[in-house]
Amino acid sequence: MGTDLRLVHDGTDTSGDLPAGDITARVISNDWVNPEYKHLVLAAGDPATRAEAGQFFHLLCPGDGPKKPFLRRPMSIYGVDPDQGRIEFLYKVTGLGTRGLATLKPGDDLPVLGPLGVGFSIEPSWRHIVVLGRGVGLATLAPLSTLASQRGVHVTAILSARRPDLVMSVDRFERCGADVIVVTDSDGSSDPANVEAHLRRLIAAGHADAFFTCGSNRLMLLMQWLAREHGIPGQVAMEQQMACGLGMCFCCVRSFKVNGQMVSRRVCWDGPVFKLEEATSW
Amino acid sequence: MVDLSVDVGRLRLANPVMPASGTFAEGLQKVMHLDRLGAFVTKTVTRELRAGNPTPRVAETHEGMLNSIGIPSKGVPYFLENVIPFYRQFKPPLIVSISAPSAEGFAQLAAEVSVPGVAAIEANISCPNIEEDGRAFAMHARSTEIVTRRLRAATQLPLWVKLTPNTGDIAEVARAAEAAGADALVVANTILAMAIDVETFRPRVGNVMGGLSGPAIKPIILRMVYQCARATKIPIIGCGGISTAEDAIEYMLAGATAVQVGTATFIHPTAMVTIIDALAAFCERRGIERVRDLIGAVRDEGFDAEQMVALP
């Protein structure tokens, strides 16, 4: 412990016996994967590599002066490699935080807090699941491919994007033996009616024991409606602006319909993965 | 070995660092050992069931944070059955933060939460979101005195009164709280503030106005702690933008007996532990045996604080 009074973090209380940590991670790579998204690989070690599909980290994004984000930015985990001590993120460069992240170079430090929140779960009775995602939600859903293959569960992934070059996570799903259906705005195949037809076909084929979705309000509502019609359980990963990430500040609440009543829940603490049937439009 | 203990009235704390209300919950034990803290301060509880304000509830500003959470509360029975028992497993004393829309409501609530396991009551008579247009008891000396008197009569526990910076004369409000029986003052709360998105022309928090916290407000609240410490004889707990040990030391020099850390925990969840360790290291380096020797030790000889109040 030094005597620098300006020191705000030395990680003394974040090691070993605690399930999450404020870890100073080291950037391994931070490369563009398409015109809008970058892939960030960090050396972070334990407990960061305990992250499960659907969980998130709270990132202290870099920046100078007025460009320095004051609050952390939550970001769902894209990949974990416990053997190499690495965690991965796939992010769209869009605001103050992600523009700061985009400047990181190999060897740079990045403070990451996590893993945090409640992730996806797969019930032992499920043999076939359907994953439906769009945009940045595709990154959140990617680790589900690993979880499903570990459980011997077959995945059909319907991946939606504006253009073919913005579709992500196809390789992740294909590597685990998933059937991947890519739909885009540019050829009109992402139209909800077409996505609905895909889902109905999967339900009829008995390939939809559970639904998983992230990244589109419209697709979430479609899945929710079909799930209700056919009695299919489901999970949705949600986003919300956060401050603490640890359930303390109550900034990141959303409304959920539980047993006919609207209740407020914290996305960082009660989620970010929630029951599909309880989610409400955002 | 530096003695970090301080006395807030009759309550002894192992060290002067505790969380600010609303910035602390059980989630923090994911990343730190809660027994390190000087005290626990709960999120404000109300008798009414409150849903809280619409989102967005938070917006970041330069070196600060604007929030309008709106004190969501599950009410007193839930609090007594779930929140208080959770903290029994830890050593630091539990301070319960309460709020109510009337002096009568404050008194009833103070009595209801004066139960075993609670070491003191912090009366949040200053939350800028709870009253219309952010008006609160602690904006005026008279309403502060009325509510503090009712609170004093309602509980045997040490009574900490949390003041608002949204007042023209905080020293007078502090004196009113002391006269009405407060054991300590928490100085202060968030500063009523606002931010507008220039792309959408919309206020950046759902409640239009909110409370500003973080390093941006520290010099203002530090000045208020100094004024309150000069104006009263009861302990002051400094609260406003503290994120480092240097900040905590400044507050103690200005007259604070203890400090509360809030927004900094959102950025660095182990900030309080880091501050405690760095505070001990500072005292060691300076040959200060007891951290309490820092209280009010600012060297301001020949300076009349009372005269300065009216100056810009």
Side-chain angles (χ1 to χ4, degrees):
Chain A
M1 180 72 237
T3 53
D4 181 0
L5 298 174
R6 271 162 284 266
L7 191 70
V8 288
H9 165 64
D10 66 356
T12 43
D13 244 50
T14 64
S15 61
D17 56 329
L18 298 162
D22 183 4
I23 300 148
T24 302
R26 176 76 33 100
V27 176
I28 303 289
S29 62
N30 185 27
D31 301 320
W32 291 98
V33 297
N34 63 38
E36 296 180 1
Y37 286 83
K38 289 192 94 167
H39 179 211
L40 177 64
V41 181
L42 302 172
D46 185 77
T49 53
R50 296 183 212 174
E52 294 169 2
Q55 285 194 299
F56 72 97
F57 285 82
H58 220 16
L59 312 182
L60 197 55
C61 303
D64 292 316
K67 290 205 165 127
K68 177 177 164 283
F70 181 70
L71 298 170
R72 287 176 183 252
R73 296 294 189 274
M75 191 169 288
S76 58
I77 189 77
Y78 177 66
V80 180
D81 184 342
D83 295 335
Q84 298 218 59
R86 291 181 178 181
I87 56 174
E88 299 173 42
F89 301 93
L90 190 60
Y91 62 97
K92 186 176 185 178
V93 181
T94 162
L96 196 62
T98 48
R99 281 201 298 273
L101 280 185
T103 65
L104 289 170
K105 293 179 203 59
D108 286 349
D109 286 342
L110 177 69
V112 302
L113 170 65
L116 302 174
V118 178
F120 294 110
S121 58
I122 294 181
E123 298 284 324
S125 63
W126 298 344
R127 305 316 313 152
H128 299 273
I129 63 169
V130 179
V131 170
L132 172 62
R134 181 174 167 88
V136 70
L138 299 176
T140 305
L141 293 166
L144 254 180
S145 63
T146 314
L147 181 64
S149 70
Q150 283 165 355
R151 305 282 173 84
V153 173
H154 176 259
V155 178
T156 306
I158 305 173
L159 310 180
S160 173
R162 295 201 314 280
R163 304 188 309 260
D165 63 316
L166 297 177
V167 183
M168 303 171 300
S169 305
V170 174
D171 55 329
R172 289 286 301 274
F173 281 105
E174 283 181 340
R175 244 183 285 146
C176 78
D179 293 326
V180 176
I181 301 165
V182 170
V183 295
T184 62
D185 299 357
S186 53
D187 69 4
S189 57
S190 64
D191 184 76
N194 186 49
V195 175
E196 183 184 341
H198 280 299
L199 291 172
R200 287 195 182 278
R201 181 177 54 74
L202 291 164
I203 294 167
H207 280 193
D209 296 334
F211 280 164
F212 294 83
T213 186
C214 181
S216 160
N217 187 47
R218 202 164 61 159
L219 295 179
M220 185 275 285
L221 291 173
L222 169 64
M223 240 185 178
Q224 193 176 45
W225 171 53
L226 288 174
R228 196 177 300 129
E229 188 181 300
H230 294 273
I232 298 168
Q235 290 161 30
V236 55
M238 304 190 97
E239 281 193 306
Q240 181 60 291
Q241 204 182 12
M242 291 181 191
C244 75
L246 286 164
M248 302 187 289
C249 68
F250 287 76
C251 286
C252 66
V253 295
R254 282 195 181 279
S255 294
F256 294 84
K257 197 168 185 179
V258 182
N259 301 323
Q261 279 197 316
M262 295 302 280
V263 300
S264 174
R265 285 180 173 157
R266 293 162 286 179
V267 172
C268 76
W269 185 254
D270 304 306
V273 175
F274 295 92
K275 283 183 182 173
L276 179 62
E277 71 212 56
E278 293 177 349
T280 62
S281 197
W282 69 81
Chain B
M1 190 70 183
V2 178
D3 179 2
L4 286 178
S5 69
V6 294
D7 295 324
V8 180
R10 55 193 152 111
L11 187 64
R12 171 152 295 193
L13 310 182
N15 68 68
V17 180
M18 70 186 91
S21 177
T23 67
F24 177 72
E26 70 275 19
L28 208 54
Q29 65 176 342
K30 274 192 177 184
V31 293
M32 63 171 275
H33 298 286
L34 301 188
D35 274 332
R36 296 284 321 270
L37 301 178
F40 299 143
V41 183
T42 67
K43 189 167 172 61
T44 298
V45 62
T46 65
R47 302 182 84 220
E48 304 76 26
L49 302 182
R50 297 175 54 91
N53 287 337
T55 57
R57 289 179 169 185
V58 60
E60 62 182 6
T61 61
H62 190 59
E63 288 299 315
M65 180 182 119
L66 184 65
N67 86 80
S68 66
I69 311 294
I71 313 192
S73 171
K74 292 181 176 172
V76 175
Y78 179 90
F79 188 82
L80 296 178
E81 285 159 30
N82 296 280
V83 180
I84 291 175
F86 171 78
Y87 290 105
R88 291 218 175 97
Q89 59 184 303
F90 302 103
K91 280 181 282 188
L94 179 67
I95 318 302
V96 170
S97 171
I98 64 171
S99 192
S102 66
E104 168 71 23
F106 258 113
Q108 285 177 352
L109 181 51
E112 284 168 5
V113 299
S114 294
V115 298
V118 178
I121 288 174
E122 178 180 294
N124 176 12
I125 63 168
S126 60
C127 186
N129 290 333
I130 198 158
E131 301 285 336
E132 88 181 78
D133 279 347
R135 227 167 261 126
F137 295 92
M139 285 177 73
H140 303 290
R142 190 174 147 68
S143 46
T144 297
E145 184 161 355
I146 290 168
V147 71
T148 306
R149 243 180 242 299
R150 294 296 298 268
L151 282 161
R152 181 68 287 163
T155 182
Q156 300 289 315
L157 289 173
L159 175 64
W160 300 2
V161 174
K162 184 166 177 174
L163 304 186
T164 179
N166 305 307
T167 176
D169 189 349
I170 197 159
E172 193 193 344
V173 174
R175 276 190 289 264
E178 180 185 36
D183 293 296
L185 301 174
V186 180
V187 180
N189 208 317
T190 55
I191 296 178
L192 192 62
M194 188 171 174
I196 301 171
D197 186 320
V198 297
E199 295 300 324
T200 64
F201 289 19
R202 295 181 66 86
R204 287 175 56 202
V205 292
N207 194 47
V208 181
M209 291 183 286
L212 186 68
S213 62
I217 73 167
K218 195 197 77 177
I220 299 172
I221 308 298
L222 184 76
R223 176 269 294 178
M224 291 184 167
V225 164
Y226 180 74
Q227 289 178 303
C228 291
R230 291 297 193 104
T232 68
K233 292 188 166 53
I234 52 179
I236 310 290
I237 297 136
C239 177
I242 296 170
S243 52
T244 67
E246 185 177 50
D247 298 334
I249 294 161
E250 255 190 286
Y251 268 95
M252 293 188 76
L253 293 173
T257 297
V259 294
Q260 295 185 345
V261 178
T263 306
T265 301
F266 294 169
I267 319 298
H268 296 282
T270 56
M272 287 185 283
V273 176
T274 307
I275 290 170
I276 293 163
D277 289 341
L279 195 52
F282 171 84
C283 291
E284 197 133 348
R285 175 167 66 80
R286 294 294 301 262
I288 297 164
E289 286 173 24
R290 294 171 304 267
V291 77
R292 73 187 67 165
D293 293 341
L294 292 171
I295 301 168
V298 60
R299 297 179 61 180
D300 57 352
E301 303 88 354
F303 172 77
D304 188 347
E306 289 296 307
Q307 290 297 313
M308 292 297 290
V309 170
L311 295 179

